[in-house]
């Protein structure tokens, strides 16, 4: 059994936990933005002292923050129908429709309409 399947099964049994993970992801996103806005001068001064060492540390911290936000969103979005083998429900994107931005937007809009219908 894959990790995706076990997370999906657990969050289907405990919907409140999936909602909590989604709430944590949104809270972490806004907290990260607030910290960057509030402390950007201090952070830039700290990075200026040793640019070679501290710039990769800041980039790694931002990458870790983004990965944690996406991880929480993935754990919170496991609301596939019971018995479905799909792990992740994503929209078709640019891969299906050629390089046209209109096709990508149309696929996204169609996906959002379907998600809206499933969660009513």
């Amino acid at each position: 059994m894959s990790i995706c399947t076990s997370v999906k099964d657990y969050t289907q049994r405990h919907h409140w936990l999936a909602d909590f993970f989604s709430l944590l992801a949104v809270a972490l996103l806004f907290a990260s933005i607030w910290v960057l806005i509030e402390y950007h001068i201090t952070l830039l001064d700290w990075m200026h002292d040793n640019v070679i060492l501290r710039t990769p540390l800041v980039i790694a911290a931002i990458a870790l923050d983004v990965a944690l936000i996406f991880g929480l969103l993935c754990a919170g979005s496991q609301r596939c129908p019971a018995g479905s083998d799909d792990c992740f429900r994503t929209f078709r994107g640019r891969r299906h429709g050629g390089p046209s931005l209109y096709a990508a937007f149309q696929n996204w809009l169609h996906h959002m309409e379907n998600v809206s219908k499933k969660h009513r």
Side-chain angles (χ1 to χ4, degrees):
M1 181 186 294
S2 70
I3 293 172
C4 175
T5 306
S6 63
V7 169
K8 181 181 74 169
D9 291 341
Y10 189 78
T11 55
Q12 282 180 347
R13 286 191 308 258
H14 305 284
H15 291 289
W16 64 270
L17 187 61
D19 294 337
F20 182 68
F21 281 145
S22 297
L23 181 68
L24 277 178
V26 170
L28 182 60
L29 172 68
F30 287 118
S32 301
I33 292 171
W34 177 79
V35 165
L36 284 175
I37 290 172
E38 187 71 24
Y39 296 107
H40 75 279
I41 297 295
T42 308
L43 182 66
L44 289 175
D45 288 341
W46 178 76
M47 285 174 53
H48 184 64
D49 291 340
N50 190 352
V51 176
I52 295 173
L53 178 64
R54 293 181 178 168
T55 301
L57 288 175
V58 170
I59 292 172
I62 291 171
L64 180 67
D65 185 48
V66 169
L68 186 59
I69 289 170
F70 278 125
L72 289 170
L73 282 175
C74 285
S77 67
Q78 298 299 323
R79 292 184 184 88
C80 298
S84 173
D85 291 335
D86 296 340
C87 281
F88 299 103
R89 298 283 180 149
T90 59
F91 71 99
R92 292 170 52 127
R94 294 178 292 167
R95 293 176 288 149
H96 296 79
S100 169
L101 288 176
Y102 175 73
F105 176 74
Q106 189 176 17
N107 287 334
W108 174 79
L109 185 63
H110 179 67
H111 168 73
M112 293 310 289
E113 288 171 351
N114 285 337
V115 168
S116 169
K117 290 175 188 174
K118 289 177 185 175
H119 290 291
R120 284 187 201 161

